[in-house]
Amino acid sequence: MARIIAVTACPTGIAHTYMAAEALKKTAALMGHSIRVETQGAAGAKDILDEADLAQATLLILAADTHVEMTRFAGKTVYETSTSTAIREPQAVLDAALALIGIRTERRPEPGATAAAPPVAATAQVDAQAEASGDVRKIVAITACPTGIAHTFMAAEALKKAAARHGYTIKVETQGSVGARNTLSAEEIAAADVVIIGADTHVDTSRFAGKRVHETSVGRALKETDRVLQEAFALPAPSGAALQRAAELTEARTPEKPAGAYKHLLTGVSYMLPIVVAGGLVIALSFVFGIEAFKEKGSLAASLMDIGGGAAFALMIPVLAGFIAFSIADRPGLAPGLVGGMLASQLQAGFLGGIVAGFIAGYVARYLRDHIHLPVHFEGLKPVLLIPLLATLVVGLLMIYVVGSPARAIMEGLTRFLQGLSGTNAVLLGLLLGGMMAVDMGGPINKAAYTFGVGLLASNSFMPMAAVMAAGMVPPLGIALATFLARNRFSADEQIAGKAAAVLGISFITEGAIPFAAKDPLRVIPACVAGAAITGALSMIFGCTLHAPHGGIFVLAIPNAVGQLLPYVGAIAAGTLLTALVLIVLKKPLPANGAVAA
């Protein structure tokens, strides 16, 4: 039985996050493996993995569409996938992940087969002979303190000097506020005689399985360095079983793939989303007193508009840019990203300018982090002085003199186009946005349409957001209606699932349609796309607007939150009915044994 930990995360942290977690839990249980899953989203982390979970785990599955902080998982064998894949193919995900640690579920040992000899036994004997003959001893080490500035690098330097005095070879990885530097490779760890951890913060030691590991404080590594070395080499040699396990982990571990631009963008959206939702709903509440009541200074409506529009929406683009940069460069990217986003907002470059600022800030900060080399005693200046200063200057000047004006012109043109939409243009845009919301039901295409709608809220373009939310509600609602109207085409379990889909649909959780789409994609997906596309087109034709980017049917109860309320409800109803009818036509009645007819 393998001990597995997992993290699931999507930009909203609602449906995909929890559905992926449940799929992994159930499948792992059926396979006989132990699993603990932490979920991350807009509401924060739930079921947080603790120190015991991290220490006991042999494998990490990362099912995420956004950036996940990986510092605490350093050294773990990691299998990365998307939340959609984890939901649809949990068995395949677990099989592939387990293969990384040498567990292959498709193969079984032959009866009476003799276990192969541990491949590292000879290596252990060579190591012992090398120590006895006085050959050069090899050390790998990690130093880390809470800030990752002074003590981290001073302890690393002390260990290097002490090792040189004794004639040892050493490589020291430092973990601090600019991330891990001088990272230890699997080959260097495999060749080491001992491992020294001098840290005042958590350091994951799972990658050192089968090694003699001496853990101490960063202060002792700095002040009592010779004593620390003696204690490390005095540790008993690891057992044969530990050596075998270490060999398996070394062979299975694959290099971590860098996150792509889409994942960086979704990370920014995930951090921005709670601000946009809160701001949009507060603005909608100000409309309760009248659509222009906020213009009266000192009134409650004006205060609500100041909170929603003046504060929350003002933070929207800086947060988007800041956390795109954070996803790319970790903490060094946050400051230049926030500044670049604020400049995009001030220059009226809109969400496009914010996206550009975030990517510029992230890649500039990462370049500076990787290419500025200082004497060890001055290394602490990088994260608190040099990178923020230089990266902010570069990003700021580029935004003011290069990016700002073109981005502003594009946003102004896009805003004029959207505000003047009518007839064929409105139909085409609505069809496109609506179809995108249903084609993968929470996947990359769905998120791209949703991000487009949310981003335009900062430019006071509210029609695309209305079309996006209405279309996103249709797939689960249409399926729920079909299970009610044509019970003979759905199994008893599907009819029960249809009731849950209805609840998810009115809450604007498109993922409620996924179980049906996964089971019968050739019939369900076309029906959902047809209904959602019609809903998007009707919403645009009717000129419906939406000031809040989430909430489903519950937002409709807020006066003036939705422009053209009755036509908006009609568009949702029309798409729901179309999806149900198409699905009923495409699906055949179930035969007596309950199997789906071809």
Side-chain angles (χ1 to χ4, degrees), residues 108 168 473 531 543:
R108 296 289 184 271
Y168 307 149
M473 295 167 65

Side-chain angles (χ1 to χ4, degrees), residues 268-282:
V269 172
S270 70
Y271 281 97
M272 173 191 74
L273 195 57
I275 296 173
V276 181
V277 172
L281 291 174
V282 172

Side-chain angles (χ1 to χ4, degrees), residues 167-182:
Y168 307 149
T169 63
I170 189 171
K171 181 175 180 181
V172 186
E173 175 181 313
T174 56
Q175 297 184 4
S177 54
V178 294
R181 304 300 306 276
N182 207 31

Side-chain angles (χ1 to χ4, degrees), residues 518-539:
K519 187 175 181 179
D520 190 9
L522 295 180
R523 296 180 177 91
V524 172
I525 292 177
C528 291
V529 170
I534 288 299
T535 294
L538 291 174
S539 177

Side-chain angles (χ1 to χ4, degrees), residues 35-93:
I35 189 168
R36 280 268 290 115
V37 186
E38 174 181 314
T39 58
Q40 296 185 8
K46 301 288 181 64
D47 297 323
I48 298 174
L49 300 170
D50 57 26
E51 296 292 333
D53 296 323
L54 296 174
Q56 295 172 4
T58 54
L59 173 67
L60 167 67
I61 296 176
L62 182 64
D65 303 319
T66 65
H67 172 80
V68 173
E69 175 58 53
M70 296 295 291
T71 304
R72 58 186 167 138
F73 303 122
K76 290 290 182 191
T77 300
V78 181
Y79 180 81
E80 292 192 53
T81 187
S82 65
T83 55
S84 297
T85 304
I87 293 167
R88 292 180 168 90
E89 304 172 17
Q91 175 79 49
V93 168

Side-chain angles (χ1 to χ4, degrees), residues 142-445:
I142 293 178
T143 60
C145 66
T147 57
I149 301 177
H151 276 64
T152 298
F153 298 104
M154 292 167 67
E157 193 66 20
L159 287 170
K160 291 176 184 177
K161 289 180 179 178
R165 286 197 305 271
H166 292 281
Y168 307 149
T169 63
I170 189 171
K171 181 175 180 181
V172 186
E173 175 181 313
T174 56
Q175 297 184 4
S177 54
V178 294
R181 304 300 306 276
N182 207 31
T183 306
L184 301 172
S185 67
E187 292 76 15
E188 289 164 338
I189 295 171
D193 297 313
V194 295
V195 180
I196 296 173
I197 309 292
D200 296 331
T201 60
H202 172 72
V203 173
D204 192 336
T205 60
S206 62
R207 55 176 163 159
F208 305 121
K211 292 294 176 181
R212 289 181 288 177
V213 180
H214 180 55
E215 297 188 58
T216 186
S217 67
V218 71
R220 286 199 69 222
L222 173 61
K223 298 174 183 177
E224 304 175 28
T225 316
D226 287 329
R227 180 72 178 273
V228 168
L229 291 177
Q230 293 172 7
E231 293 170 351
F233 281 108
L235 292 173
S239 67
L243 290 169
Q244 168 67 12
R245 184 64 183 155
E248 292 173 354
L249 286 172
T250 300
E251 292 172 4
R253 187 172 291 120
T254 55
E256 187 176 326
K257 296 179 181 179
Y262 181 72
K263 197 166 189 178
H264 298 317
L265 174 62
L266 288 186
T267 298
V269 172
S270 70
Y271 281 97
M272 173 191 74
L273 195 57
I275 296 173
V276 181
V277 172
L281 291 174
V282 172
I283 290 173
L285 287 174
S286 75
F287 296 149
V288 171
F289 303 95
I291 199 68
E292 295 187 354
F294 68 90
K295 294 181 180 179
E296 184 180 343
K297 292 184 178 181
S299 64
L300 179 58
S303 298
L304 292 172
M305 182 59 72
D306 288 340
I307 295 170
F313 269 35
L315 286 171
M316 172 182 163
I317 294 174
V319 168
L320 171 66
F323 283 96
I324 289 174
F326 171 79
S327 178
I328 296 169
D330 213 326
R331 282 178 286 180
L334 193 55
L338 290 169
V339 173
M342 181 59 74
L343 284 170
S345 182
Q346 292 174 346
L347 294 169
Q348 298 180 1
F351 81 99
L352 290 178
I355 291 171
V356 173
F359 279 103
I360 292 175
Y363 287 116
V364 168
R366 191 167 76 179
Y367 178 86
L368 294 173
R369 181 194 68 188
D370 295 341
H371 290 83
I372 293 179
H373 302 289
L374 298 176
V376 66
H377 296 299
F378 294 99
E379 190 72 16
L381 293 175
K382 283 175 60 176
V384 297
L385 176 62
L386 289 181
I387 294 177
L389 173 62
L390 296 178
T392 300
L393 279 174
V394 171
V395 173
L397 292 172
L398 285 174
M399 288 302 298
I400 292 172
Y401 292 108
V402 179
V403 176
S405 295
R408 177 180 178 178
I410 292 172
M411 286 304 302
E412 288 177 346
L414 180 60
T415 301
R416 286 194 300 269
F417 169 74
L418 293 172
Q419 290 174 345
L421 275 179
S422 62
T424 303
N425 289 334
V427 171
L428 292 177
L429 182 60
L431 286 171
L432 176 63
L433 291 174
M436 290 175 69
M437 288 300 294
V439 72
D440 58 357
M441 303 170 195
I445 299 174

